[in-house]
Amino acid sequence: MQRRVYVPGTAALLVALLAGCTGGSGTGEGDDGKSGDSGSSTAAAEPGKYRTLPEPCGAVDSSTLDSMLPGLKDIEDAKQREKAYAGSATVTYDTDRRVGCRWKSESADATHHLLVDFERVVSYDGTVSDDTRAQELYRTKLRDAGIPEPPSSGSDEDDDDTEEPESPEGSDSPKGTGKPGSSDKADGSGSPRAQGAPAAAHAAARKGDGAAADEEPDGGAASADDGTPAGYEPRTLDDLGDEAFLDDVLTTAASATRQRTVTVVFRTSNVIVTVSYDEQPARRTEVPDSKEMQDNARELAENLVDRFDG
């Protein structure tokens, strides 16, 4: 009788214990599985809008080239003229990621260069979207040009805004297209854009006159005779792509002539487009027209935006 009472009690206790363990472990595994699945599903970032790039040498029409490179149509040899209009593709190792094209024209009055560059940004971090990575790259280019980020870009830029009161002249621009470059004149360093000195050095290095860009013999008067009208100083642009900026650098070439380089950079989704346009007059006394060059570069950039949006 004692054995018959004892065995069922032991069996019941074992069943209860097993049931408790099984239920507890099942609940825990279910919770972990859901949290893991939800984490992995939300971690994947959105891919960029653009998967391909347009052919750069065909992105600029002949009428625009005639306006920006006036020496092209004066080339007498038909084959050379056709080759000059066709442009020269820049060297690239991945045409799905980056392509570009260069044009050059020479005349008795001046030499002009034009570069169009398309870069498709791809994020290799599954938690960072292509657009976010492109935005980071764009802002790096903006900082390298020495142009302040617009205050409305987001809370991350609030710290940058606190530094701007040191240059009160920056608020004198009559245009509302972004932060002007006039604030850079406040430090009186002798360069047309003290804050944009790195950009000037980079522009000069592309033409082989980096030393001249750092210290110009007549640098003290550069800010007064650089030919940049009020409101046309280097600045951000609020009407071009998702975000954009314009840089304008005047340097002294090795031949002692003045060379102006106007650069427009804009981002549309995960693609960054750069238009670089420079002019070097044949005579030392001439200064390239800042307004005309900026207008031409911006018009081309606007046409390129339409090409992507279209």
Side-chain angles (χ1 to χ4, degrees):
M1 293 296 292
Q2 292 179 350
R3 290 180 60 186
R4 292 176 62 183
V5 173
Y6 174 78
V7 172
T10 303
L13 178 60
L14 290 174
V15 170
L17 290 174
L18 289 174
C21 293
T22 303
S25 61
T27 303
E29 291 175 358
D31 291 343
D32 291 342
K34 290 179 181 179
S35 61
D37 291 342
S38 61
S40 60
S41 62
T42 57
E46 289 292 329
K49 177 180 179 180
Y50 301 105
R51 303 296 182 91
T52 60
L53 292 170
E55 200 285 308
C57 291
V60 185
D61 57 48
S62 58
S63 61
T64 300
L65 291 174
D66 285 339
S67 177
M68 302 182 74
L69 308 170
L72 290 183
K73 57 186 177 182
D74 295 330
I75 299 176
E76 296 182 359
D77 185 273
K79 290 185 177 179
Q80 291 184 0
R81 184 170 60 253
E82 182 180 357
K83 183 178 180 181
Y85 273 103
S88 177
T90 58
V91 177
T92 180
Y93 299 98
D94 188 351
T95 55
D96 286 334
R97 291 288 306 278
R98 190 165 193 171
V99 292
C101 192
R102 297 179 184 275
W103 293 265
K104 176 182 178 180
S105 71
E106 295 179 332
S107 66
D109 297 327
T111 298
H112 294 84
H113 295 87
L114 175 63
L115 167 68
V116 171
D117 181 86
F118 302 143
E119 181 175 4
R120 186 174 67 90
V121 181
V122 177
S123 173
Y124 292 101
D125 185 343
T127 63
V128 180
S129 68
D130 293 346
D131 281 23
T132 299
R133 187 66 71 201
Q135 187 178 43
E136 293 172 354
L137 179 57
Y138 165 83
R139 290 184 176 178
T140 297
K141 294 177 180 290
L142 182 67
R143 288 191 294 268
D144 288 345
I147 302 175
E149 296 182 22
S152 59
S153 299
S155 58
D156 293 340
E157 284 72 47
D158 291 341
D159 292 338
D160 295 337
D161 296 339
T162 59
E163 298 177 2
E164 293 179 9
E166 297 178 4
S167 304
E169 290 83 351
S171 60
D172 294 336
S173 171
K175 306 192 79 173
T177 56
K179 297 297 181 182
S182 57
S183 61
D184 301 333
K185 299 177 183 177
D187 72 350
S189 65
S191 170
R193 292 194 313 108
Q195 193 176 9
H202 294 161
R206 291 196 296 269
K207 303 296 179 289
D209 59 340
D214 293 335
E215 293 184 3
E216 297 180 3
D218 57 347
S223 61
D225 63 2
D226 66 355
T228 304
Y232 278 79
E233 300 86 357
R235 61 201 182 278
T236 56
L237 307 172
D238 58 9
D239 56 354
L240 190 63
D242 295 329
E243 50 190 344
F245 71 86
L246 182 149
D247 197 12
D248 188 332
V249 179
L250 184 68
T251 58
T252 301
S255 60
T257 56
R258 308 304 293 273
Q259 175 176 295
R260 184 180 298 281
T261 302
V262 174
T263 305
V264 177
V265 178
F266 71 84
R267 180 183 69 85
T268 173
S269 185
N270 62 315
V271 170
I272 296 177
V273 177
T274 300
V275 174
S276 179
Y277 178 45
D278 72 63
E279 176 183 332
Q280 183 176 332
R283 289 181 286 273
R284 300 181 182 182
T285 55
E286 291 190 7
V287 178
D289 190 314
S290 175
K291 182 180 183 302
E292 181 180 1
M293 292 186 65
Q294 288 193 30
D295 289 345
N296 284 335
R298 287 193 63 176
E299 183 177 356
L300 172 55
E302 290 168 0
N303 292 338
L304 294 176
V305 169
D306 294 339
R307 178 177 291 270
F308 279 92
D309 293 342

